[in-house]
Amino acid sequence: MQAKERREAIVEVIRLKGPVAVAELVERLGLSEATIRRDLVKLDDAGLLKRVHGGARPVDVRDDVYADLVDRQAEPKEAIARAAAARVRDGQSVLLDIGTTVGRVARYLHGRPVTVITRNLAVYAELCEDPAVDLVLLGGQVRPAHRSLVGYLTEESLRQLRADVLLLGTSGIRRSGHSVDTVAEEVPVKRAMISAADEVVLLADASKFPGSGTATVCDVTAYRHLVTDARPDEETVSVLRGAGVAVELVDGTQVT
């Protein structure tokens, strides 16, 4: 059974039966537990079901991953978004990544003569009726739970574009300075965005040190600026300083 068929079968079982244990899916579909668990992660991330302890259940109107994330670290994210938007100069083209911190940047770009290129559907919703902003929405496969676009079409679109600056989100920053993500399929898109930008600015609140995620997006040489709300631990600061990364706090202070 191919991956697409497997996942469609899992979704159908859960749609018909409601909450289902991993063991039952193994028995019904004749698949290994490891395969089922990997597929549940993918399907949860795509917003097609909701993982629970020991299994999964159907999604319902109360399940909104993006809304849940918006509420976490709200004040620091708002401050980081404001500081990041202030870095964008009128007339520039700016790539806005997905994520709730980057998504907040859009509200501070209203009325400004800038070009915004994004795969973030929350950014599109915020700016689509603003006549001052030249808005470019990248193509791709929709991940509704995360208000984002991913996949080959997104990457191909990015290969045709060039931006002055990229405001990049992250799931975590390791002490090595590596930026990581929790979702492997995000990695090639984020790397394509990095390649399409003259300047990369990483946005990360204090909870992202070290944050979460095992999929490496880039090493510390890929970005030159980091905007955060609190001084990172000294080991991370030392690595960033050694790589020439300028660390800026939301109050404008430069970390030295």
Side-chain angles (χ1 to χ4, degrees):
M1 191 183 296
Q2 298 297 313
K4 183 174 184 293
E5 296 173 327
R6 285 200 320 266
R7 291 167 189 168
E8 288 176 348
I10 290 170
V11 170
E12 184 65 9
V13 170
I14 292 172
R15 185 182 69 81
L16 293 173
K17 284 189 60 63
V20 175
V22 169
E24 183 174 347
L25 290 170
V26 168
E27 183 179 349
R28 278 176 168 267
L29 301 176
L31 300 169
S32 71
E33 181 176 330
T35 298
I36 291 291
R37 290 189 183 279
R38 284 196 299 269
D39 284 344
L40 291 181
V41 170
K42 292 285 188 181
L43 291 166
D44 184 298
D45 186 66
L48 297 175
L49 53 74
K50 192 73 173 176
R51 282 193 302 152
V52 296
H53 182 69
R57 64 169 175 78
V59 294
D60 61 36
V61 295
R62 293 168 296 178
D63 294 326
D64 191 333
V65 174
Y66 189 88
D68 288 345
L69 292 173
V70 164
D71 292 336
R72 298 179 193 171
Q73 300 291 106
E75 290 185 16
K77 288 178 179 179
E78 196 72 28
I80 291 169
R82 189 184 305 111
R87 296 185 58 86
V88 179
R89 300 190 300 275
D90 288 353
Q92 280 193 314
S93 55
V94 55
L95 262 169
L96 294 185
D97 191 18
I98 66 164
T100 54
T101 301
V102 178
R104 292 170 185 269
V105 174
R107 66 187 69 176
Y108 296 104
L109 296 177
H110 272 299
R112 295 186 55 187
V114 294
T115 298
V116 173
I117 307 164
T118 192
R119 63 191 184 98
N120 188 327
L121 296 176
V123 169
Y124 171 78
E126 181 73 34
L127 294 176
C128 64
E129 296 183 2
D130 191 323
V133 176
D134 186 7
L135 182 61
V136 178
L137 181 65
L138 299 168
Q141 179 182 354
V142 177
R143 295 172 67 216
H146 294 266
R147 311 286 203 277
S148 68
L149 296 163
V150 296
Y152 170 78
L153 291 176
T154 315
E155 296 165 45
E156 188 60 30
S157 297
L158 286 162
R159 282 189 274 271
Q160 310 303 318
L161 296 169
R162 195 73 198 167
D164 293 312
V165 60
L166 162 63
L167 300 184
L168 182 67
T170 183
S171 295
I173 300 174
R174 298 302 188 214
R175 288 188 171 88
S176 61
H178 286 62
S179 174
V180 296
D181 202 279
T182 56
V183 183
E185 67 183 323
E186 285 291 338
V187 172
V189 185
K190 285 178 178 283
R191 289 178 178 173
M193 296 182 82
I194 291 168
S195 295
D198 293 338
E199 176 187 11
V200 179
V201 181
L202 194 59
L203 310 186
D205 63 69
S207 71
K208 301 300 175 65
F209 299 92
S212 59
T214 57
T216 299
V217 174
C218 65
D219 64 23
V220 71
T221 64
Y223 54 97
R224 295 271 62 86
H225 302 276
L226 170 66
V227 180
T228 186
D229 61 305
R231 184 185 179 94
D233 62 273
E234 290 307 314
E235 183 178 344
T236 304
V237 168
S238 178
V239 169
L240 296 172
R241 185 190 303 120
V245 175
V247 181
E248 177 184 330
L249 300 183
V250 293
D251 63 1
T253 302
Q254 297 292 319
V255 173
T256 57

